[in-house]
Amino acid sequence: MNWLLLIIGGLFETGFAISLGKAQQTTGKPMAFWLSSFAICVAISMYLLFKAMGGDKAIPVGTAYAVWGAIGAIGTVVAGIVLFHEPVTFWRMFFLSSLVLSVIGLQLVSS
């Protein structure tokens, strides 16, 4: 259950990064909407990270934070490509792939 909370928390981290990107592109009420979305996503993301690090099957803080951050980073790169038309280059995909492999490795060696 804690891993599921951590994954969902990482997705909300992606949400707050996307919200900031969208807020940069808008003004007025749309900007207020995206900044509100940012605040909500940050709160949910941090709460789920907190919950994943506690309880009977707590994920160690170092592993939890690294995985949470990586999920957010991976999601943000993919969202940047899809939503903000950021470039897809060999080196970006290479390092993104190495990040994915590192997250899988951390999950495998965590008790």
Side-chain angles (χ1 to χ4, degrees):
M1 182 66 174
N2 287 19
W3 282 104
L4 180 60
L5 293 175
L6 189 64
I7 291 166
I8 295 169
L11 295 174
F12 274 97
E13 185 186 3
T14 299
F16 76 68
I18 292 168
S19 296
L20 282 179
K22 289 295 203 176
Q24 289 287 327
Q25 296 176 340
T26 59
T27 59
K29 286 184 182 181
M31 178 190 253
F33 168 80
W34 288 112
L35 291 176
S36 297
S37 171
F38 164 78
I40 291 166
C41 287
V42 166
I44 293 170
S45 182
M46 293 292 172
Y47 178 74
L48 292 174
L49 174 62
F50 168 77
K51 292 299 282 182
M53 293 188 305
D56 293 339
K57 301 200 182 222
I59 302 170
V61 65
T63 301
Y65 186 78
V67 171
W68 173 83
I71 292 168
I74 291 163
T76 302
V77 169
V78 171
I81 291 167
V82 173
L83 299 174
F84 301 108
H85 309 291
E86 293 176 359
V88 179
T89 66
F90 170 79
W91 288 112
R92 284 186 88 192
M93 295 302 105
F94 173 80
F95 289 117
L96 188 63
S97 299
S98 69
L99 183 57
V100 170
L101 292 174
S102 295
V103 168
I104 292 169
L106 275 173
Q107 187 172 4
L108 292 174
V109 300
S110 294
S111 55

